[in-house]
């Protein structure tokens, strides 16, 4: 799964000369939280997020109604946006993997990454929502089936034993994921989604696999 | 966002709401489009269908702010990626739309600059919008051309538009449109000017690109079959209003609006036989925008018209099944109980069981055109003459009162064949006898009587009528010329013909410019019939007409045939029309008849491999029909040096069935394989093998 498979293509983009009020309007009206700011040829120059609109009052001379209105009506996107030039925008290339994108986002605690091609042209946007959607798909949520978590020691041949047991019984896999068992070093948990089968059947088959145990089993 | 359900991230790519477009004219203004509402999501293809003059193109022009000096958006809004387009200045629009909306028009030749090399035109898109270097742009263009399956892409970059075929031109235009990765692609009849086989390939391409680029597509077409193949949502427009919006399946399986039902009834369906597949034209025609009826605009043409329709204009409302329809009685109408009314009832198919007498017999007819070379030898006339072999060994005959349909891609020699018969061209060799008279010679040697018996209906009624003669004069002229009618009775005779054409006596003094396309074609038919010919040659008589008009004209031709017992040779590129209309069908490829026989036999197993490919390319107005996917590779070879052996061997997808990968196809001319019904196939593959193919089209009812 690469960024280009998960991202939202053709995001709403705004030019840097647009007024900040209008950008704010576009964001609320279209229920989006991030607006890539692009110059000529869709080249990324900045990013507008909700935080950009939280302005400090000391940027204004006084807080009179007139002053605030004047200030807001002259305010342009380029003034409030996070600027690429200043290095405030994290981006990702469309050919990178989803986990790399997730890592950048968690590391910097940010909600979205503009996706660019090799020339810095915006081709899409990747938000937390897109990543969460890909997580669902990876674990096979849209289709009905049995979701089982197997705990196995970190040894050669364990995964093969699991898939072998499934294959012997003509079972397919809709989604799969694995992670190191929390607080139990040397063990891995593997989540498998199996369609068109009953819980009992899965339990019967997988409880036979040596050295492994069923930690959790669900019908979803 | 009133219409977004919130599930789609970022909302629709394009959202049109209550759009009304008006044109200012002398003494007021007319609303060409009223209350049109629809959304296009990312990666969705939204079709708009309707007869010409319904305002389909006006909608796209409004999106692009291309309405001309006198047009403007009167009401409503157009939102592109969440931002309003209406009411902005040109510069703002340019920046807003930037390079995110691309267009593909009907005629690729008009979208390309004839004086620039294709590569330079394509590169411009990238160097201007993206500021890429020339070299980088070239690289991108070539990879995009490869993406649209352009053979020999690097080479095509150096050619001029006229040096590549129509299908390839359209591919260049599509590639150009996609270079900037647009969010919205507007396609206005993109395949109408193309051959079926090319059309099928282009449609496949569009569907694939939509998936890969997640581009929203607004697809405009009058062809319901094409829309069924590419779109997942369809809006039906009538007289400037959206009358029905639904998913493609719903539109075809369960049309709710009487107009949609009518449109579907006028499309010839491949798969049913001639006797049962009647076409029911919609009576009347689209009202002009300044003269729309009160209440429901479709009222005057509707079979379910009631008082409420006149008094109250229906709103576009959502039915429980999600279909949006603009009709008061949509739930109460059951299209399966529909009965055609008296005036649109198609004529009975004639049954003449008497013995078959051939009116025209053609044997080994050849037509070669000499090509002038440009070398020094050619100038002095010393080189071997070279020929375009336009028609090769055509052999067929047509019984009296029957119709022979000729189908094939453009450039296959269909028109040359009938031009040779009517005498516009003389033949190179072979025999052709019409009523026992030899017609192979020069036109000047023909007797007047022979000329009178052979008449022609042309494709484009506009260019075949004298604009300064009235309808009556045009139809009366052949009568006077051939003396078939005494001078004093010409007027009465013309009016009789006009009545037969359902035009009426008041058309006698009209000029061609006062007629609609369908009416002009009827006058064209009336003129061809004026001298009471025995054989009428029709060269694509309905391909320039709307579906509903097409149905009316086809029914009219059938009626004429029933009335006068006229024999017809009917050329068309639309295989479903030919099926509907003809008793016999000939399939031509590169000047050679590949398969000929009774219509039922052509559309059923066994097929010639070429016929099979043609049938698999026909767009079917039924999204549930299963169609085998065969796409011919490459282009039609040059007729100057056609391939040795079988002319189809360079593109035949079936030659692998023969030993040695079909070596025999390259060396030997195939034999004619004939069955007892007179169905002949020009192929090396034995009939028994051809019979084992799967049928091309499988609909719910029966297989073809």
């Amino acid at each position: 799964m690469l960024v280009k498979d998960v991202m939202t293509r053709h995001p709403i983009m705004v030019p840097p000369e647009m007024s900040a009020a209008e950008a704010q309007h576009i964001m609320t009206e279209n229920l989006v939280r991030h607006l890539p700011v692009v110059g000529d040829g869709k080249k990324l120059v900045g990013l507008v997020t909700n935080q950009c609109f939280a302005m400090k009052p000391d940027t204004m001379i006084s807080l009179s109604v007139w002053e605030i209105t004047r200030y807001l009506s002259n305010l342009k996107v380029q003034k409030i946006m996070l600027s690429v030039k200043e290095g405030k925008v994290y981006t990702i290339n469309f050919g990178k993997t989803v986990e790399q994108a997730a890592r950048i986002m968690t590391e910097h605690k940010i909600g979205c990454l503009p996706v660019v091609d090799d020339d810095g042209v915006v081709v899409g946007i990747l938000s937390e929502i897109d990543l969460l959607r890909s997580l669902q798909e990876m674990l096979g949520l849209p289709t009905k089936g049995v979701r089982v978590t197997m705990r196995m020691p970190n040894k050669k041949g364990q995964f093969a034993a699991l898939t072998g047991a499934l294959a012997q019984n003509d079972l397919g896999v809709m989604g799969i994921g694995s992670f190191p068992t929390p607080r139990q070093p040397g063990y891995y948990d593997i989540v498998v989604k199996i369609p068109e089968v009953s819980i009992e059947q899965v339990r019967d088959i997988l409880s036979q696999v040596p050295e492994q145990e069923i930690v959790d089993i669900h019908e979803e | 966002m009133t219409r977004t359900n919130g599930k789609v991230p970022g909302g629709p790519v394009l959202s049109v709401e209550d759009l009304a477009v008006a044109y200012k004219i002398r003494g007021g203004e007319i609303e060409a489009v009223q209350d049109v509402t629809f959304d296009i999501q990312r990666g969705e293809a939204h079709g708009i269908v309707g007869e010409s003059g319904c305002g389909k193109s006006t909608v796209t022009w409004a999106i692009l702010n291309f309405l001309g000096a006198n047009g403007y958006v009167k009401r409503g809004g157009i939102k592109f990626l969440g931002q309003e387009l209406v009411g902005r200045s040109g510069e703002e629009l340019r920046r807003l739309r930037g390079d995110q909306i691309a267009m593909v028009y009907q005629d690729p030749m008009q979208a390309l600059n004839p004086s620039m090399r294709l590569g330079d035109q394509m590169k411009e898109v990238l160097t201007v919008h993206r500021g890429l270097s020339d070299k980088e742009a070239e690289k991108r263009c070539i990879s995009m051309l490869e993406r649209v399956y352009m053979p020999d892409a690097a080479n095509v970059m150096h050619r001029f538009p006229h040096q590549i075929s129509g299908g390839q031109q359209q591919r260049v235009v599509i590639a150009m449109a996609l270079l900037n990765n647009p969010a919205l692609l507007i396609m206005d009849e993109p395949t109408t000017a193309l051959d079926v086989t090319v059309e099928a390939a282009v449609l496949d391409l569009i569907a694939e690109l939509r998936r890969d680029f997640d581009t929203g597509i607004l697809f405009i077409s009058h062809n319901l079959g094409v829309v069924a193949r590419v779109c997942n949502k369809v809006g039906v427009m009538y007289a400037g209003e959206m009358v029905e919006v639904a998913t493609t399946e719903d539109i075809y399986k369960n049309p709710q609006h009487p107009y949609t039902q009518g449109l579907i009834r006028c499309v010839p369906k491949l798969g049913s036989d001639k006797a049962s597949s009647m076409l029911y034209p919609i009576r009347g025609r689209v009202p002009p925008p300044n003269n729309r009826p009160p209440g429901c605009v479709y009222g005057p043409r509707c079979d379910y018209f009631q008082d409420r329709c006149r008094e109250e204009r229906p709103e576009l409302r959502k039915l429980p099944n999600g279909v949006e329809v603009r009709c008061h009685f949509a739930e109460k109408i059951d299209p399966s109980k529909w009965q055609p009314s008296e005036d649109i009832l198609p004529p009975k198919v004639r049954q003449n069981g008497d013995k078959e007498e051939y009116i025209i017999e053609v044997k080994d007819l050849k037509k070669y055109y000499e090509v002038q070379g440009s070398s020094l030898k050619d100038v002095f006339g010393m080189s071997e003459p070279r020929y375009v072999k336009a028609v090769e060994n055509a052999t067929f005959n047509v019984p009296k009162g029957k119709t022979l349909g000729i189908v094939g891609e453009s450039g296959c020699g269909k028109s040359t064949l009938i031009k040779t018969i009517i005498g516009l061209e003389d033949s190179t060799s072979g025999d052709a006898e019409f009523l026992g008279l030899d017609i192979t010679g020069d036109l000047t040697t023909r007797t007047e009587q022979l000329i009178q018996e052979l008449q022609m209906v042309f494709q484009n009624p506009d260019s075949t009528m004298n604009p300064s003669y009235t309808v009556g004069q045009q139809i009366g002229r052949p009568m006077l010329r051939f003396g078939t009618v005494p001078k004093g009775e010409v007027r009465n005779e013309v009016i009789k013909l006009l009545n037969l054409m359902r035009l009426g006596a008041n058309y006698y003094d009209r000029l061609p410019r006062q007629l609609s396309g369908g009416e002009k074609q009827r006058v064209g038919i009336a003129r061809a019939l004026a001298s009471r010919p025995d054989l009428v040659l029709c060269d694509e008589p309905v391909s320039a007409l709307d579906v509903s008009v097409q149905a009316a004209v086809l029914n009219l031709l059938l009626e004429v045939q029933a009335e006068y017992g006229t024999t017809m040779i009917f050329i068309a590129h639309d295989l479903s029309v030919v099926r509907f209309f003809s008793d016999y069908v000939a399939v031509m490829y590169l000047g050679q008849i590949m398969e000929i026989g009774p219509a039922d036999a052509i559309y059923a197993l066994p097929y010639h491999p070429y016929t099979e490919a043609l049938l698999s390319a026909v767009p079917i107005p039924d999204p549930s029909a299963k169609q085998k996917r065969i796409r011919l590779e490459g282009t039609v070879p040059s007729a100057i040096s056609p391939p040795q052996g079988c002319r189809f061997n360079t593109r035949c997808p079936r030659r692998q069935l023969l030993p040695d990968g079909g070596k025999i196809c390259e060396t030997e001319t195939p034999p004619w394989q004939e069955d007892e019904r007179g169905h002949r196939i020009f192929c090396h593959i034995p009939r028994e093998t051809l019979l084992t193919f799967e049928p091309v089209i499988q609909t719910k009812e029966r297989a073809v």
Side-chain angles (χ1 to χ4, degrees):
Chain A
M1 225 177 216
L2 299 178
V3 168
K4 64 175 175 192
D5 305 318
V6 180
M7 69 183 184
T8 303
R9 282 169 197 260
H10 312 296
I12 301 179
M13 297 183 277
V14 294
E17 304 84 27
M18 181 183 269
S19 80
E22 172 127 28
Q24 206 276 335
H25 176 72
I26 289 171
M27 284 169 74
T28 36
E29 198 180 16
N30 294 289
L31 309 170
V32 293
R33 294 166 300 156
H34 310 93
L35 282 180
V37 183
V38 289
D40 273 346
K42 291 191 242 175
K43 283 236 168 73
L44 187 71
V45 294
L47 183 72
V48 177
T49 67
N50 275 331
Q51 277 104 353
C52 295
F53 295 103
M55 280 163 293
K56 289 194 204 107
D58 57 357
T59 49
M60 275 167 265
I61 304 166
S62 78
L63 289 179
S64 83
V65 178
W66 302 102
E67 173 57 24
I68 294 173
T69 320
R70 190 194 64 81
Y71 181 82
L72 285 181
S73 62
N74 288 333
L75 196 62
K76 298 274 185 256
V77 163
Q78 54 192 344
K79 198 119 177 253
I80 59 162
M81 71 183 185
L82 303 165
S83 158
V84 171
K85 258 199 212 130
E86 290 163 22
K88 287 187 180 160
V89 183
Y90 297 96
T91 61
I92 190 150
N93 188 284
F94 66 96
K96 290 275 166 54
T97 57
V98 180
E99 53 272 27
Q100 267 172 317
R103 185 167 172 182
I104 298 176
M105 286 165 72
T106 46
E107 231 166 53
H108 303 284
K109 220 176 158 199
I110 49 175
C112 97
L113 289 173
V115 183
V116 292
D117 68 2
D118 301 335
D119 303 324
V121 172
V122 179
V123 291
I125 195 162
L126 186 77
S127 68
E128 299 147 322
I129 302 288
D130 294 318
L131 286 179
L132 289 175
R133 196 180 316 115
S134 75
L135 177 68
Q136 297 169 33
E137 280 163 16
M138 249 186 237
L139 294 179
L141 187 64
T143 33
K144 276 203 174 304
V146 174
R147 178 193 190 275
V148 57
T149 311
M150 298 292 290
R151 186 158 294 172
M152 56 184 73
N154 186 6
K155 274 201 302 196
K156 249 191 189 167
Q158 287 293 327
F159 185 62
L162 172 64
T163 48
L166 292 175
Q168 262 176 13
N169 292 281
D170 254 355
L171 292 180
V173 171
M174 284 311 299
I176 195 161
S178 85
F179 54 96
T181 311
R183 291 173 296 280
Q184 197 174 346
Y187 278 85
Y188 266 81
D189 282 4
I190 290 197
V191 181
V192 190
K193 178 88 174 264
I194 308 162
E196 290 160 19
V197 70
S198 70
I199 285 200
E200 291 72 37
Q201 243 176 312
V202 175
R203 197 175 276 137
D204 287 350
I205 294 165
L206 293 187
S207 55
Q208 309 295 323
V209 185
E211 293 185 72
Q212 300 189 5
E213 61 166 319
I214 298 173
V215 187
D216 167 77
I217 191 158
H218 265 88
E219 202 153 9
E220 265 180 347
Chain B
M1 242 341 65
T2 45
R3 290 167 56 83
T4 311
N5 48 18
K7 276 183 202 154
V8 190
V13 174
L14 181 80
S15 141
V16 174
E17 233 178 301
D18 295 329
L19 181 73
V21 180
Y23 290 102
K24 290 184 181 130
I25 51 161
R26 219 168 15 181
E29 59 176 30
I30 46 171
E31 272 188 36
V33 166
Q34 292 176 326
D35 302 343
V36 167
T37 302
F38 63 94
D39 281 348
I40 301 178
Q41 307 292 346
R42 284 175 178 72
E44 185 178 84
H46 192 292
I48 298 187
V49 292
E51 288 167 273
S52 45
C54 280
K56 309 186 292 282
S57 293
T58 304
V59 171
T60 66
W61 292 336
I63 295 167
L64 295 166
N65 194 23
F66 194 46
L67 287 166
N70 63 338
Y72 73 105
V73 174
K74 198 174 172 190
R75 284 191 304 274
I78 303 167
K79 271 194 192 141
F80 172 65
L81 284 174
Q83 298 176 54
E84 188 61 52
L85 295 183
V86 176
R88 291 194 186 244
S89 72
E91 178 54 24
E92 269 181 310
L93 273 178
R94 191 196 66 79
R95 212 173 41 209
L96 220 159
R97 287 193 306 247
D99 38 20
Q100 300 210 61
I101 303 183
M103 287 275 321
V104 175
Y105 289 99
Q106 175 168 0
D107 187 354
M109 201 53 208
Q110 282 180 4
L112 296 169
N113 184 339
S115 63
M116 270 174 91
R117 289 180 198 279
L118 290 165
D120 296 337
Q121 301 187 40
M122 289 187 75
K123 278 188 286 188
E124 227 173 42
V125 177
L126 290 173
T127 48
V128 171
H129 277 300
R130 290 272 165 98
L132 288 185
S133 71
D134 200 62
K135 236 185 175 163
E136 179 65 17
E138 170 137 6
K139 222 172 79 193
R140 291 276 178 89
C141 292
I142 293 176
S143 68
M144 187 53 86
L145 282 178
E146 278 163 0
R147 186 71 198 63
V148 297
Y149 304 110
M150 176 71 82
D152 198 9
N155 211 338
V156 166
M157 297 278 286
H158 301 292
R159 291 198 211 156
F160 285 99
H162 68 269
Q163 291 170 315
I164 57 176
S165 70
Q168 289 178 333
Q169 283 171 359
Q170 196 63 297
R171 275 174 216 220
V172 170
V173 175
I174 292 174
M176 235 157 126
L178 288 170
L179 272 175
N180 268 326
N181 186 19
L184 176 67
L185 190 58
I186 299 178
M187 306 188 115
D188 195 347
E189 307 260 11
T191 58
T192 309
L194 306 175
D195 265 321
V196 271
T197 48
V198 182
E199 174 180 80
V202 170
L203 292 180
D204 286 350
L205 178 69
I206 294 171
E208 198 177 306
L209 295 174
R210 170 164 78 94
R211 250 191 347 259
D212 290 4
F213 291 86
D214 237 357
T215 307
I217 297 179
L218 176 60
F219 193 97
I220 295 195
S221 182
H222 69 278
N223 186 332
L224 289 147
V226 169
V227 170
R229 193 175 273 181
V230 269
C231 297
N232 43 0
K233 241 167 107 188
V234 184
V236 181
M237 275 190 84
Y238 179 76
E241 291 181 357
M242 203 60 113
V243 293
E244 183 166 354
V245 184
T247 60
T248 311
E249 277 90 46
D250 281 336
I251 284 273
Y252 291 95
K253 257 198 234 134
N254 189 15
Q256 298 286 344
H257 197 279
Y259 178 60
T260 317
Q261 295 163 4
L263 272 185
I264 286 173
R265 276 193 288 261
C266 16
V267 186
K269 282 160 203 72
L270 206 59
S272 36
D273 55 51
K274 179 171 173 172
S276 70
S277 74
M278 287 283 90
L279 300 182
Y280 303 103
I282 306 173
R283 68 198 135 96
R285 60 164 131 147
V286 185
N290 53 358
N291 193 21
R292 293 205 178 112
C296 177
V297 278
Y298 187 60
R301 300 174 79 183
C302 185
D303 293 323
Y304 306 97
F305 188 68
Q306 296 182 27
D307 286 342
R308 188 176 165 201
C309 304
R310 193 178 306 117
E311 287 148 15
E312 192 187 335
R313 185 164 171 262
E315 291 296 317
L316 195 66
R317 63 200 171 93
K318 209 168 196 143
L319 298 183
N321 56 0
V323 175
E324 289 175 76
V325 65
R326 196 186 282 277
C327 178
H328 291 306
F329 305 105
E331 294 95 337
K332 293 180 192 132
I333 294 172
D334 183 1
S336 59
K337 293 205 182 107
W338 180 82
Q339 287 296 328
S341 63
E342 203 56 22
D343 53 334
I344 58 164
L345 205 63
K348 289 269 178 303
V349 178
R350 68 221 163 271
Q351 297 283 338
N352 43 353
D354 42 335
K355 71 172 172 56
E356 298 205 330
E357 181 190 339
Y358 293 123
I359 193 163
I360 182 161
E361 288 180 71
V362 175
K363 196 155 187 272
D364 291 333
L365 193 72
K366 282 194 179 92
K367 174 65 196 169
Y368 290 179
Y369 293 101
E370 194 171 334
V371 198
Q372 194 69 52
S374 55
S375 73
L376 201 60
K377 259 183 167 174
D378 291 319
V379 173
F380 289 105
M382 283 155 67
S383 64
E384 281 275 301
R386 289 185 306 153
Y387 297 101
V388 170
K389 294 169 183 162
V391 175
E392 185 85 273
N393 294 343
T395 303
F396 62 87
N397 34 38
V398 188
K400 207 168 164 45
K402 299 275 179 178
T403 305
L404 170 73
I406 304 179
V407 288
E409 289 170 276
S410 52
C412 71
K414 328 185 273 286
S415 292
T416 309
L417 179 62
I418 70 163
K419 276 184 195 156
T420 314
I421 292 169
I422 202 165
L424 288 171
E425 303 280 359
D426 53 0
S427 58
T428 309
S429 72
D431 304 319
E433 277 188 4
F434 172 71
L435 292 171
L437 297 164
D438 180 36
I439 52 168
T440 52
D442 201 350
L443 187 62
T444 47
T445 62
R446 289 195 179 177
T447 59
E448 200 150 87
Q449 194 222 340
L450 184 60
I451 297 171
Q452 177 205 329
E453 299 290 358
L454 279 168
Q455 289 294 325
M456 191 154 170
V457 179
F458 297 90
Q459 172 170 7
N460 191 343
D462 269 315
S463 53
T464 49
M465 279 182 155
N466 189 332
S468 54
Y469 276 33
T470 64
V471 166
Q473 282 170 314
Q474 312 225 21
I475 301 175
R477 206 173 120 83
M479 296 180 183
L480 291 171
R481 265 308 255 119
F482 297 118
T484 45
V485 179
K487 241 183 180 164
E489 283 168 35
V490 167
R491 193 186 165 94
N492 285 339
E493 194 63 24
V494 169
I495 288 173
K496 217 175 112 191
L497 264 176
L498 282 174
N499 283 334
L500 180 69
M501 296 297 134
R502 301 208 173 119
L503 287 175
N506 56 343
Y507 279 78
Y508 189 91
D509 290 319
R510 289 210 197 172
L511 287 169
R513 66 181 159 82
Q514 295 167 313
L515 307 177
S516 71
E519 286 168 347
K520 277 183 210 156
Q521 195 58 289
R522 289 177 204 210
V523 173
I525 295 169
R527 186 179 54 184
L529 293 171
S531 64
R532 294 193 191 142
D534 281 330
L535 179 64
V536 175
L537 305 168
C538 307
D539 190 353
E540 305 255 15
V542 294
S543 52
L545 306 175
D546 263 322
V547 274
S548 66
V549 183
Q550 170 181 318
V553 170
L554 287 175
N555 280 348
L556 189 69
L557 280 170
L558 281 181
E559 203 169 298
V560 164
Q561 201 170 24
E563 174 103 15
Y564 293 104
T566 319
T567 313
M568 290 193 194
I569 296 182
F570 184 92
I571 292 189
H573 65 275
D574 186 335
L575 277 95
S576 17
V577 167
V578 171
R579 158 99 206 217
F580 162 73
F581 194 75
S582 312
D583 303 291
Y584 299 91
V585 176
V587 181
M588 279 184 87
Y589 178 77
L590 207 57
Q592 174 83 51
I593 294 180
M594 287 293 173
E595 185 174 0
I596 185 166
D600 299 346
I602 298 283
Y603 291 87
L605 287 168
Y607 321 107
H608 187 279
Y610 179 60
T611 316
E612 190 187 16
L614 274 185
L615 282 173
S616 84
V618 181
I620 299 174
D622 177 7
S624 64
K626 273 201 197 124
Q627 192 171 17
K628 210 166 19 165
R629 191 175 175 283
I630 303 166
R631 298 289 180 262
L632 295 180
E633 280 168 24
T635 49
V636 183
S638 160
I640 298 178
S641 51
Q644 294 293 309
C646 173
R647 290 191 168 195
F648 188 50
N649 81 57
T650 52
R651 298 172 80 197
C652 183
R654 293 288 186 186
R655 56 183 279 196
Q656 300 307 330
L657 293 175
L658 289 169
D660 268 347
K663 207 147 192 224
I664 188 171
C665 301
E666 286 172 35
T667 49
E668 277 176 49
T669 313
W672 277 107
Q673 305 184 52
E674 189 164 354
D675 75 353
E676 64 287 349
R677 288 202 295 164
H679 175 213
R680 292 185 295 150
I681 297 179
F682 193 62
C683 189
H684 283 295
I685 303 172
R687 215 183 155 79
E688 294 70 48
T689 318
L690 292 175
L691 265 170
T692 59
F693 293 176
E694 256 181 53
V696 174
I697 302 153
Q698 292 179 334
T699 48
K700 288 267 160 59
E701 297 97 48
R702 50 178 283 191
V704 170

